[in-house]
Coordinates of all heavy atoms in Angstrom, one line a residue:
M254 N 4.5 -5.0 37.2 CA 3.6 -6.2 37.2 C 2.8 -6.0 35.9 O 2.1 -5.2 35.6 CB 2.7 -6.3 38.4 CG 1.9 -7.4 38.4 SD 1.1 -7.6 40.0 CE -0.1 -8.8 39.6
A255 N 2.8 -7.2 35.2 CA 2.1 -7.3 33.9 C 0.7 -7.6 34.2 O 0.4 -8.4 35.1 CB 2.7 -8.3 33.0
V256 N -0.2 -7.0 33.4 CA -1.7 -7.3 33.6 C -2.0 -8.5 32.5 O -1.7 -8.4 31.4 CB -2.6 -6.0 33.3 CG1 -4.0 -6.4 33.4 CG2 -2.2 -4.9 34.1
K257 N -2.8 -9.4 33.1 CA -3.2 -10.6 32.2 C -4.4 -10.1 31.3 O -5.2 -9.4 31.8 CB -3.6 -11.8 33.1 CG -2.4 -12.3 33.9 CD -1.9 -13.5 33.1 CE -0.7 -14.0 34.0 NZ -0.1 -15.1 33.3
I258 N -4.4 -10.6 30.2 CA -5.6 -10.5 29.3 C -6.4 -11.7 29.3 O -5.9 -12.8 29.3 CB -5.1 -10.2 27.9 CG1 -4.2 -8.9 27.8 CG2 -6.2 -10.1 26.9 CD1 -3.5 -8.7 26.4
D259 N -7.7 -11.4 29.3 CA -8.6 -12.6 29.4 C -8.6 -13.4 28.1 O -8.1 -12.9 27.0 CB -10.1 -12.2 29.7 CG -10.6 -11.2 28.7 OD1 -10.0 -10.2 28.5 OD2 -11.7 -11.5 28.2
K260 N -9.1 -14.6 28.1 CA -8.9 -15.5 27.0 C -9.7 -15.0 25.8 O -9.3 -15.1 24.6 CB -9.4 -16.9 27.4 CG -9.2 -18.0 26.3 CD -9.5 -19.3 26.8 CE -9.2 -20.4 25.7 NZ -9.1 -21.7 26.0
V261 N -10.8 -14.5 25.9 CA -11.7 -13.9 24.8 C -10.9 -12.8 24.1 O -10.8 -12.7 22.8 CB -13.0 -13.5 25.3 CG1 -13.7 -12.9 24.1 CG2 -13.8 -14.6 25.9
S262 N -10.4 -11.8 24.8 CA -9.6 -10.8 24.3 C -8.4 -11.3 23.5 O -8.1 -10.8 22.5 CB -9.2 -9.7 25.3 OG -10.3 -9.1 25.8
S263 N -7.7 -12.3 24.2 CA -6.5 -12.8 23.6 C -6.9 -13.5 22.2 O -6.1 -13.3 21.2 CB -5.9 -13.9 24.5 OG -4.8 -14.4 23.9
E264 N -7.9 -14.2 22.1 CA -8.3 -14.9 20.9 C -8.7 -13.8 19.8 O -8.4 -14.0 18.6 CB -9.5 -15.8 21.1 CG -9.1 -17.0 22.0 CD -8.2 -17.9 21.2 OE1 -8.2 -18.0 20.1 OE2 -7.3 -18.4 22.0
K265 N -9.4 -12.7 20.2 CA -9.8 -11.6 19.3 C -8.5 -11.0 18.7 O -8.4 -10.8 17.5 CB -10.6 -10.6 20.0 CG -12.1 -11.1 20.3 CD -12.8 -10.0 21.0 CE -14.2 -10.5 21.3 NZ -15.0 -9.4 22.1
I266 N -7.6 -10.7 19.5 CA -6.3 -10.1 19.1 C -5.6 -11.1 18.2 O -5.0 -10.5 17.2 CB -5.5 -9.7 20.3 CG1 -6.0 -8.6 21.1 CG2 -4.0 -9.3 19.9 CD1 -5.5 -8.2 22.3
K267 N -5.5 -12.3 18.4 CA -4.9 -13.3 17.6 C -5.6 -13.4 16.3 O -4.9 -13.4 15.2 CB -5.0 -14.7 18.3 CG -4.0 -15.7 17.7 CD -4.2 -17.1 18.3 CE -3.9 -17.0 19.7 NZ -3.9 -18.3 20.5
V268 N -6.9 -13.4 16.1 CA -7.6 -13.4 14.9 C -7.3 -12.1 14.0 O -7.1 -12.2 12.8 CB -9.1 -13.6 15.1 CG1 -9.9 -13.4 13.8 CG2 -9.3 -15.0 15.6
I269 N -7.4 -11.0 14.7 CA -7.1 -9.8 14.0 C -5.8 -9.7 13.5 O -5.4 -9.2 12.4 CB -7.3 -8.5 15.0 CG1 -8.9 -8.4 15.3 CG2 -6.8 -7.2 14.4 CD1 -9.2 -7.3 16.4
S270 N -4.7 -10.2 14.3 CA -3.4 -10.3 13.7 C -3.1 -11.2 12.6 O -2.4 -10.9 11.7 CB -2.5 -10.6 14.9 OG -2.4 -9.7 16.0
I271 N -3.9 -12.3 12.7 CA -3.8 -13.2 11.5 C -4.4 -12.5 10.2 O -3.7 -12.6 9.1 CB -4.4 -14.5 11.8 CG1 -3.7 -15.3 12.9 CG2 -4.6 -15.4 10.5 CD1 -4.3 -16.5 13.4
I272 N -5.5 -11.9 10.3 CA -6.0 -11.2 9.2 C -5.2 -10.2 8.7 O -5.0 -10.0 7.5 CB -7.5 -10.7 9.6 CG1 -8.5 -11.9 9.8 CG2 -8.1 -9.8 8.5 CD1 -9.7 -11.5 10.3
A273 N -4.6 -9.3 9.6 CA -3.8 -8.3 9.2 C -2.5 -8.8 8.6 O -2.0 -8.1 7.5 CB -3.4 -7.4 10.4
S274 N -2.0 -9.9 9.0 CA -0.8 -10.5 8.4 C -1.1 -10.9 7.0 O -0.2 -10.7 6.1 CB -0.3 -11.7 9.2 OG 0.0 -11.4 10.5
I275 N -2.2 -11.6 6.7 CA -2.6 -11.9 5.4 C -2.8 -10.7 4.5 O -2.3 -10.6 3.3 CB -3.9 -12.8 5.5 CG1 -3.6 -14.1 6.1 CG2 -4.5 -13.0 4.0 CD1 -4.9 -14.9 6.4
M276 N -3.3 -9.7 5.1 CA -3.4 -8.4 4.3 C -2.1 -7.9 3.9 O -1.9 -7.3 2.7 CB -4.4 -7.4 5.0 CG -5.8 -7.8 5.2 SD -6.5 -6.7 6.4 CE -7.7 -5.9 5.3
V277 N -1.1 -7.8 4.8 CA 0.2 -7.3 4.5 C 0.9 -8.2 3.4 O 1.5 -7.6 2.5 CB 1.0 -7.3 5.8 CG1 2.5 -7.2 5.4 CG2 0.6 -6.2 6.7
V278 N 0.7 -9.4 3.4 CA 1.2 -10.3 2.3 C 0.7 -9.9 1.0 O 1.3 -9.9 0.0 CB 1.0 -11.8 2.7 CG1 1.3 -12.7 1.5 CG2 1.8 -12.3 3.9
M279 N -0.7 -9.7 1.0 CA -1.4 -9.3 -0.2 C -0.8 -7.9 -0.6 O -0.7 -7.8 -1.9 CB -2.9 -9.3 0.0 CG -3.5 -10.6 0.2 SD -5.3 -10.5 0.5 CE -5.9 -10.1 -1.1
I280 N -0.6 -7.0 0.2 CA 0.0 -5.8 -0.2 C 1.3 -5.9 -0.9 O 1.6 -5.3 -1.9 CB 0.1 -4.8 1.0 CG1 -1.3 -4.3 1.5 CG2 1.0 -3.6 0.6 CD1 -1.2 -3.6 2.8
H281 N 2.2 -6.8 -0.4 CA 3.5 -7.0 -0.8 C 3.6 -7.8 -2.1 O 4.6 -8.0 -2.7 CB 4.5 -7.5 0.2 CG 4.7 -6.5 1.3 ND1 5.6 -5.5 1.0 CD2 4.4 -6.4 2.6 CE1 5.7 -4.7 2.1 NE2 5.0 -5.2 3.1
S282 N 2.4 -8.6 -2.4 CA 2.5 -9.5 -3.6 C 1.8 -8.8 -4.8 O 1.3 -9.5 -5.7 CB 1.9 -10.7 -3.2 OG 0.5 -10.6 -2.9
T283 N 1.6 -7.5 -4.8 CA 1.1 -6.9 -5.9 C 1.8 -6.9 -7.2 O 3.1 -7.1 -7.2 CB 0.7 -5.4 -5.6 OG1 0.0 -4.8 -6.7 CG2 2.1 -4.6 -5.4
N284 N 1.3 -7.0 -8.2 CA 1.8 -7.1 -9.6 C 1.9 -5.5 -10.2 O 0.9 -4.9 -10.1 CB 0.9 -8.0 -10.5 CG 1.7 -8.3 -11.8 OD1 2.8 -7.8 -12.1 ND2 1.0 -9.0 -12.6
V285 N 3.0 -5.3 -10.7 CA 3.1 -3.8 -11.1 C 2.3 -3.5 -12.3 O 1.5 -2.5 -12.3 CB 4.6 -3.6 -11.5 CG1 4.8 -2.2 -12.0 CG2 5.6 -3.8 -10.3
N286 N 2.3 -4.3 -13.3 CA 1.5 -4.0 -14.5 C 1.2 -5.4 -15.1 O 2.1 -6.0 -15.8 CB 2.2 -3.1 -15.4 CG 1.3 -2.7 -16.5 OD1 0.2 -3.1 -16.8 ND2 1.9 -1.6 -17.4
I287 N -0.1 -5.8 -15.1 CA -0.4 -7.1 -15.7 C -0.3 -7.1 -17.2 O 0.1 -8.0 -17.8 CB -1.9 -7.4 -15.2 CG1 -1.9 -7.7 -13.7 CG2 -2.4 -8.7 -15.9 CD1 -3.3 -7.8 -13.2
G288 N -0.7 -6.0 -17.8 CA -0.7 -6.0 -19.3 C 0.8 -6.1 -19.9 O 0.9 -6.4 -21.0
E289 N 1.7 -5.7 -19.0 CA 3.1 -5.7 -19.5 C 3.6 -7.2 -19.7 O 4.4 -7.4 -20.6 CB 4.0 -5.1 -18.4 CG 5.4 -4.9 -18.7 CD 6.2 -4.2 -17.6 OE1 5.9 -3.0 -17.4 OE2 7.0 -4.7 -17.0
F290 N 3.1 -8.1 -18.9 CA 3.6 -9.5 -19.0 C 2.8 -10.2 -20.2 O 3.4 -11.2 -20.6 CB 3.3 -10.2 -17.7 CG 4.1 -9.6 -16.5 CD1 3.5 -8.9 -15.5 CD2 5.5 -9.8 -16.6 CE1 4.2 -8.4 -14.5 CE2 6.2 -9.2 -15.5 CZ 5.6 -8.6 -14.6
T291 N 1.7 -9.8 -20.5 CA 1.1 -10.5 -21.6 C 1.1 -9.8 -22.9 O 0.7 -10.4 -24.0 CB -0.5 -10.6 -21.2 OG1 -1.1 -9.4 -21.1 CG2 -0.7 -11.5 -20.0
N292 N 1.7 -8.7 -23.0 CA 1.8 -7.8 -24.1 C 0.5 -7.5 -24.9 O 0.5 -7.3 -26.1 CB 2.8 -8.4 -25.1 CG 4.2 -8.4 -24.6 OD1 4.6 -7.6 -23.9 ND2 4.9 -9.5 -24.9
K293 N -0.6 -7.6 -24.1 CA -1.9 -7.2 -24.6 C -2.6 -6.3 -23.7 O -2.4 -6.4 -22.5 CB -2.8 -8.5 -24.9 CG -2.2 -9.5 -25.8 CD -3.1 -10.8 -25.8 CE -2.5 -11.8 -26.8 NZ -3.3 -13.0 -26.8
S294 N -3.3 -5.5 -24.1 CA -4.2 -4.6 -23.4 C -5.7 -4.9 -23.6 O -6.2 -4.1 -24.4 CB -3.7 -3.2 -23.6 OG -4.5 -2.3 -22.8
N295 N -6.1 -6.0 -23.2 CA -7.5 -6.3 -23.4 C -8.3 -6.0 -22.2 O -7.9 -5.6 -21.0 CB -7.7 -7.6 -23.9 CG -7.0 -8.7 -23.0 OD1 -6.8 -8.5 -21.9 ND2 -6.7 -9.9 -23.5
I296 N -9.6 -6.3 -22.2 CA -10.6 -6.0 -21.1 C -10.3 -6.9 -19.9 O -10.4 -6.4 -18.8 CB -12.0 -6.1 -21.6 CG1 -12.9 -5.6 -20.6 CG2 -12.3 -7.6 -21.9 CD1 -12.9 -4.1 -20.5
S297 N -9.8 -8.1 -20.0 CA -9.6 -9.0 -18.9 C -8.4 -8.5 -18.1 O -8.4 -8.6 -16.8 CB -9.4 -10.5 -19.4 OG -8.2 -10.5 -20.1
N298 N -7.3 -7.9 -18.7 CA -6.3 -7.4 -18.0 C -6.7 -6.2 -17.2 O -6.2 -5.9 -16.1 CB -5.1 -7.1 -18.9 CG -4.4 -8.2 -19.4 OD1 -4.5 -9.4 -18.8 ND2 -3.7 -8.2 -20.5
T299 N -7.5 -5.3 -17.8 CA -8.0 -4.1 -17.2 C -8.8 -4.5 -15.9 O -8.6 -3.8 -14.8 CB -8.8 -3.4 -18.1 OG1 -8.0 -3.0 -19.3 CG2 -9.2 -1.9 -17.6
V300 N -9.7 -5.4 -16.1 CA -10.5 -5.9 -14.9 C -9.6 -6.5 -13.8 O -9.8 -6.2 -12.7 CB -11.5 -6.9 -15.4 CG1 -12.2 -7.6 -14.2 CG2 -12.5 -6.4 -16.3
L301 N -8.6 -7.2 -14.2 CA -7.6 -7.8 -13.1 C -6.9 -6.6 -12.5 O -6.7 -6.7 -11.3 CB -6.6 -8.7 -13.8 CG -7.2 -10.1 -14.3 CD1 -6.1 -10.8 -15.0 CD2 -7.8 -10.9 -13.1
E302 N -6.5 -5.6 -13.3 CA -5.8 -4.5 -12.6 C -6.7 -3.8 -11.7 O -6.2 -3.3 -10.6 CB -5.3 -3.6 -13.7 CG -4.1 -4.1 -14.5 CD -3.6 -3.3 -15.6 OE1 -4.4 -2.2 -15.9 OE2 -2.7 -3.6 -16.2
I303 N -7.9 -3.6 -12.0 CA -8.9 -2.9 -11.1 C -9.2 -3.8 -9.9 O -9.1 -3.1 -8.8 CB -10.3 -2.7 -11.9 CG1 -10.0 -1.6 -13.0 CG2 -11.3 -2.2 -10.9 CD1 -11.2 -1.4 -13.9
I304 N -9.3 -5.0 -10.0 CA -9.6 -5.9 -8.8 C -8.4 -5.9 -7.9 O -8.4 -5.7 -6.7 CB -9.9 -7.3 -9.2 CG1 -11.3 -7.3 -9.9 CG2 -9.8 -8.2 -8.0 CD1 -11.7 -8.6 -10.6
E305 N -7.1 -6.0 -8.5 CA -5.9 -6.0 -7.8 C -5.7 -4.7 -7.1 O -5.3 -4.6 -5.9 CB -4.8 -6.3 -8.7 CG -3.4 -6.4 -8.0 CD -2.2 -6.7 -9.0 OE1 -2.5 -6.5 -10.2 OE2 -1.1 -6.9 -8.6
G306 N -5.9 -3.6 -7.8 CA -5.7 -2.2 -7.1 C -6.7 -2.0 -6.0 O -6.3 -1.4 -5.0
Y307 N -7.9 -2.6 -6.2 CA -8.8 -2.5 -5.0 C -8.4 -3.2 -3.9 O -8.6 -2.6 -2.8 CB -10.3 -3.1 -5.5 CG -11.3 -3.1 -4.5 CD1 -11.9 -1.8 -4.1 CD2 -11.6 -4.2 -3.8 CE1 -12.9 -1.8 -3.1 CE2 -12.6 -4.3 -2.8 CZ -13.3 -3.1 -2.5 OH -14.3 -3.0 -1.5
F308 N -7.8 -4.3 -3.9 CA -7.4 -5.0 -2.7 C -6.0 -4.5 -2.2 O -5.8 -4.1 -1.1 CB -7.1 -6.5 -3.0 CG -8.6 -7.1 -3.0 CD1 -9.2 -7.6 -4.2 CD2 -9.3 -7.4 -1.9 CE1 -10.4 -8.2 -4.1 CE2 -10.5 -8.0 -1.8 CZ -11.1 -8.4 -3.0
T309 N -5.1 -4.3 -3.1 CA -3.7 -3.9 -2.7 C -3.6 -2.4 -2.3 O -2.9 -2.1 -1.3 CB -2.6 -4.3 -3.6 OG1 -2.9 -3.6 -5.0 CG2 -2.5 -5.8 -3.9
L310 N -4.2 -1.6 -3.0 CA -4.1 -0.2 -2.8 C -5.3 0.3 -2.1 O -5.4 1.5 -1.7 CB -4.0 0.5 -4.2 CG -2.8 0.3 -5.0 CD1 -2.8 1.0 -6.3 CD2 -1.5 0.5 -4.2
G311 N -6.3 -0.5 -1.8 CA -7.6 -0.2 -1.2 C -7.8 -0.7 0.2 O -7.1 -0.2 1.1
I312 N -8.5 -1.7 0.2 CA -9.0 -2.2 1.6 C -7.8 -2.8 2.4 O -7.9 -2.8 3.6 CB -10.1 -3.2 1.4 CG1 -9.7 -4.5 0.6 CG2 -11.3 -2.6 0.9 CD1 -10.8 -5.5 0.7
N313 N -6.8 -3.3 1.8 CA -5.6 -4.0 2.6 C -4.8 -2.9 3.2 O -3.9 -3.3 4.1 CB -4.9 -4.9 1.7 CG -5.5 -6.1 1.4 OD1 -6.5 -6.5 2.1 ND2 -5.2 -6.9 0.4
R314 N -4.9 -1.6 2.9 CA -4.1 -0.6 3.5 C -4.5 -0.4 5.0 O -3.8 0.3 5.6 CB -4.3 0.7 2.7 CG -3.7 0.6 1.4 CD -2.1 0.5 1.5 NE -1.5 0.4 0.2 CZ -0.3 0.1 0.1 NH1 0.6 0.0 1.1 NH2 0.2 0.0 -1.2
V315 N -5.4 -1.0 5.5 CA -5.8 -0.9 6.9 C -5.0 -1.8 7.7 O -5.0 -1.7 9.0 CB -7.3 -1.1 7.2 CG1 -8.2 -0.2 6.5 CG2 -7.7 -2.5 6.9
A316 N -4.3 -2.7 7.2 CA -3.4 -3.6 7.9 C -2.4 -3.0 8.8 O -2.3 -3.5 10.0 CB -2.8 -4.7 7.0
V317 N -1.6 -2.1 8.4 CA -0.5 -1.5 9.1 C -1.1 -0.7 10.3 O -0.7 -0.9 11.5 CB 0.4 -0.7 8.2 CG1 1.5 -0.1 9.0 CG2 1.1 -1.5 7.2
P318 N -2.1 0.1 10.1 CA -2.7 0.9 11.2 C -3.3 -0.1 12.2 O -3.3 0.1 13.4 CB -3.8 1.8 10.6 CG -3.3 2.0 9.2 CD -2.5 0.7 8.8
L319 N -3.8 -1.2 11.7 CA -4.4 -2.2 12.6 C -3.4 -2.8 13.5 O -3.6 -3.0 14.7 CB -5.1 -3.3 11.7 CG -6.0 -4.3 12.4 CD1 -7.2 -3.5 13.0 CD2 -6.6 -5.3 11.4
F320 N -2.2 -3.1 13.0 CA -1.1 -3.6 13.8 C -0.6 -2.5 14.9 O -0.3 -2.9 16.0 CB 0.2 -3.9 13.0 CG 0.2 -5.3 12.4 CD1 0.2 -5.5 11.0 CD2 0.0 -6.5 13.2 CE1 0.2 -6.7 10.5 CE2 0.0 -7.7 12.6 CZ 0.1 -7.9 11.3
F321 N -0.7 -1.3 14.5 CA -0.3 -0.2 15.5 C -1.4 -0.1 16.6 O -1.1 0.1 17.7 CB -0.3 1.2 14.7 CG 1.2 1.3 14.1 CD1 1.2 1.4 12.7 CD2 2.2 1.5 14.8 CE1 2.4 1.6 12.1 CE2 3.5 1.7 14.3 CZ 3.6 1.8 12.9
M322 N -2.7 -0.2 16.2 CA -3.7 -0.2 17.2 C -3.6 -1.4 18.2 O -3.7 -1.2 19.4 CB -5.1 -0.2 16.5 CG -5.4 1.2 15.9 SD -7.2 1.3 15.2 CE -7.1 0.3 13.9
V323 N -3.4 -2.6 17.6 CA -3.2 -3.7 18.6 C -2.0 -3.6 19.4 O -2.1 -3.9 20.7 CB -3.2 -5.0 17.6 CG1 -2.7 -6.2 18.6 CG2 -4.5 -5.3 17.0
S324 N -1.0 -3.2 18.9 CA 0.2 -3.0 19.8 C 0.1 -1.9 20.7 O 0.5 -1.9 21.9 CB 1.5 -2.8 18.9 OG 1.4 -1.6 18.2
G325 N -0.6 -0.8 20.4 CA -1.0 0.3 21.3 C -1.9 -0.1 22.5 O -1.6 0.2 23.6
Y326 N -2.8 -1.0 22.1 CA -3.8 -1.5 23.1 C -2.9 -2.4 24.1 O -3.2 -2.2 25.3 CB -4.8 -2.3 22.5 CG -5.7 -3.1 23.4 CD1 -6.7 -2.5 24.1 CD2 -5.6 -4.5 23.5 CE1 -7.5 -3.2 25.0 CE2 -6.2 -5.2 24.4 CZ -7.2 -4.6 25.2 OH -7.9 -5.3 26.1
L327 N -2.1 -3.2 23.6 CA -1.3 -4.2 24.4 C -0.4 -3.4 25.3 O -0.1 -3.7 26.5 CB -0.6 -5.2 23.6 CG -1.5 -6.3 22.9 CD1 -0.7 -7.0 22.0 CD2 -2.3 -7.0 23.9
F328 N 0.2 -2.3 24.7 CA 1.1 -1.5 25.5 C 0.4 -0.8 26.6 O 0.9 -0.9 27.8 CB 1.8 -0.5 24.5 CG 2.7 0.5 25.3 CD1 4.0 0.1 25.7 CD2 2.3 1.8 25.7 CE1 4.8 1.0 26.4 CE2 3.1 2.7 26.3 CZ 4.4 2.2 26.7
F329 N -0.7 -0.1 26.4 CA -1.4 0.7 27.4 C -2.2 -0.2 28.3 O -2.6 0.2 29.4 CB -2.3 1.7 26.8 CG -1.5 2.9 26.2 CD1 -1.4 3.1 24.9 CD2 -0.8 3.7 27.1 CE1 -0.6 4.1 24.3 CE2 -0.1 4.8 26.6 CZ -0.1 5.0 25.2
K330 N -2.4 -1.5 28.0 CA -3.1 -2.4 28.8 C -2.2 -2.7 30.1 O -2.8 -2.9 31.1 CB -3.3 -3.7 28.1 CG -4.1 -4.8 28.9 CD -5.6 -4.5 28.8 CE -6.3 -5.7 29.4 NZ -7.7 -5.3 29.8
N331 N -1.0 -2.6 29.9 CA 0.1 -3.0 31.0 C 0.4 -1.8 31.8 O 1.1 -1.9 32.9 CB 1.3 -3.6 30.4 CG 1.0 -5.0 29.8 OD1 0.1 -5.7 30.4 ND2 1.7 -5.3 28.9
I332 N -0.1 -0.6 31.5 CA 0.3 0.6 32.3 C -0.7 0.8 33.6 O -1.9 0.6 33.2 CB 0.3 1.9 31.4 CG1 1.5 1.8 30.4 CG2 0.3 3.1 32.3 CD1 1.6 3.0 29.6
D333 N -0.2 1.0 34.6 CA -1.0 1.2 35.8 C -1.8 2.5 35.7 O -1.2 3.5 35.3 CB -0.1 1.3 37.1 CG -0.9 1.2 38.4 OD1 -2.1 0.9 38.4 OD2 -0.3 1.6 39.4
K334 N -3.0 2.5 35.9 CA -4.0 3.5 35.7 C -3.9 4.6 36.9 O -4.6 5.6 36.8 CB -5.3 3.1 35.4 CG -5.4 2.3 34.2 CD -6.8 1.6 34.0 CE -6.9 0.8 32.7 NZ -6.0 -0.2 32.5
H335 N -3.2 4.3 37.9 CA -3.1 5.2 39.1 C -1.9 6.2 39.0 O -0.9 6.0 38.8 CB -3.1 4.5 40.4 CG -4.3 3.6 40.5 ND1 -5.6 4.1 40.8 CD2 -4.5 2.3 40.5 CE1 -6.4 3.1 40.8 NE2 -5.8 2.0 40.7

């Protein structure tokens, strides 16, 4: 028998999943080398590479473990505790 999740928890999981999905898209849309496309190595390209690296290689890397935590929570929510 499946255990129902209350509406508040369901909405929280939905919001977390949407945010994690956006983060995964950002990870996969990274640019390999910005300076390569402009044939210039100026300060603006370096700043763009730092910002891009911060998001794609930095804070967005929590998206995949976040999906695992949500799916683990949903899996163990349905297991009988007795």
Side-chain angles (χ1 to χ4, degrees):
M254 181 175 164
V256 177
K257 295 266 185 180
I258 298 176
D259 59 307
K260 187 173 180 165
V261 175
S262 295
S263 176
E264 292 297 321
K265 287 179 183 179
I266 290 172
K267 194 181 300 183
V268 169
I269 290 171
S270 295
I271 290 170
I272 292 171
S274 298
I275 292 169
M276 293 170 109
V277 167
V278 169
M279 288 177 71
I280 290 171
H281 287 290
S282 65
T283 184
N284 191 359
V285 177
N286 189 353
I287 294 172
E289 184 178 297
F290 295 110
T291 59
N292 293 327
K293 296 179 183 176
S294 180
N295 55 22
I296 191 70
S297 64
N298 286 340
T299 305
V300 170
L301 288 175
E302 288 173 356
I303 291 170
I304 293 171
E305 181 181 11
Y307 177 73
F308 284 106
T309 58
L310 301 175
I312 61 173
N313 285 338
R314 291 292 175 186
V315 301
V317 175
L319 197 59
F320 276 124
F321 279 111
M322 286 188 287
V323 168
S324 62
Y326 170 76
L327 294 174
F328 176 77
F329 287 109
K330 182 82 172 162
N331 291 330
I332 291 182
D333 189 17
K334 294 171 180 61
H335 297 295

